[in-house]
Amino acid sequence: MISVENYNSIEEVLAEKGWFVSTISGVSMYPMLRNRKDQILVKPVEGRLKPYDVALYHVGGSNVAHRVLEDCGDHYVIRGDNCMSKEIVPCADVVGVVTGFWRRGRFIEVTDRRYLRYARFWVAVNPLVRLAHYPRIIASKIYHGLSGKNSV
């Protein structure tokens, strides 16, 4: 989640300043963004988002930054780098787009060739990561089914 101080919303910050910086909180975009260590630079969306862009959007009362996988016209298909399931996000819920981030004091732009290789690679290998988690998920369901505990 991303908090906003002295403003009612991120939209107000983006409208007034044209940019927004925040320390990321959460693990859904790991390994790209590290929980409470890395900061993101968000700018207003200009036009349509493209695959591999990282959108900042509203979910309930929270703001989430996840990677765009597909533009479907009225919505985007989005997934966090460290997440297994995809989300459908209406275009109206998108607040901004991450244009860069700070890692160990160094600013990395999302237009950097190395970053773009990373983004493409991570989207491509995500199904393999899911496959690696599958036996653990099945084992957990079997264990919880045998022990009478509720699965999480």
Side-chain angles (χ1 to χ4, degrees):
M1 285 192 281
I2 298 165
S3 62
V4 180
E5 296 178 14
N6 302 324
Y7 291 93
N8 291 324
S9 67
I10 292 174
E11 291 94 320
E12 284 184 16
V13 178
L14 290 172
E16 183 178 314
K17 295 184 176 190
W19 55 270
F20 173 74
V21 173
S22 179
T23 300
I24 205 75
S25 173
V27 296
S28 65
M29 283 301 291
Y30 183 82
M32 177 185 146
L33 299 171
R34 297 169 307 152
N35 182 34
R36 302 190 190 282
K37 292 183 179 179
D38 298 331
Q39 292 183 311
I40 58 172
L41 173 63
V42 178
K43 293 196 175 174
V45 176
E46 295 176 5
R48 304 292 302 172
L49 296 178
K50 303 176 298 304
Y52 311 113
D53 284 345
V54 177
L56 179 67
Y57 59 98
H58 293 302
V59 174
S62 301
N63 297 298
V64 178
H66 283 170
R67 190 173 307 284
V68 173
L69 302 177
E70 187 178 352
D71 177 357
C72 297
D74 64 337
H75 68 274
Y76 296 105
V77 178
I78 293 178
R79 179 179 58 220
D81 286 355
N82 196 28
C83 296
M84 295 203 313
S85 60
K86 297 176 183 176
E87 303 169 67
I88 304 298
V89 176
C91 295
D93 291 350
V94 176
V95 177
V97 62
V98 175
T99 59
F101 58 97
W102 284 268
R103 165 70 57 89
R104 295 185 193 104
R106 189 174 135 238
F107 184 70
I108 300 168
E109 290 187 64
V110 297
T111 56
D112 181 88
R113 285 192 328 254
R114 289 173 293 180
Y115 166 77
L116 290 171
R117 279 195 305 263
Y118 160 82
R120 288 183 182 107
F121 171 79
W122 203 254
V123 168
V125 300
N126 187 275
L128 298 175
V129 172
R130 292 179 65 189
L131 187 60
H133 286 285
Y134 190 70
R136 182 186 57 80
I137 293 167
I138 296 300
S140 175
K141 288 184 179 188
I142 291 170
Y143 171 76
H144 290 299
L146 294 175
S147 66
K149 295 179 182 178
N150 293 332
S151 61
V152 179

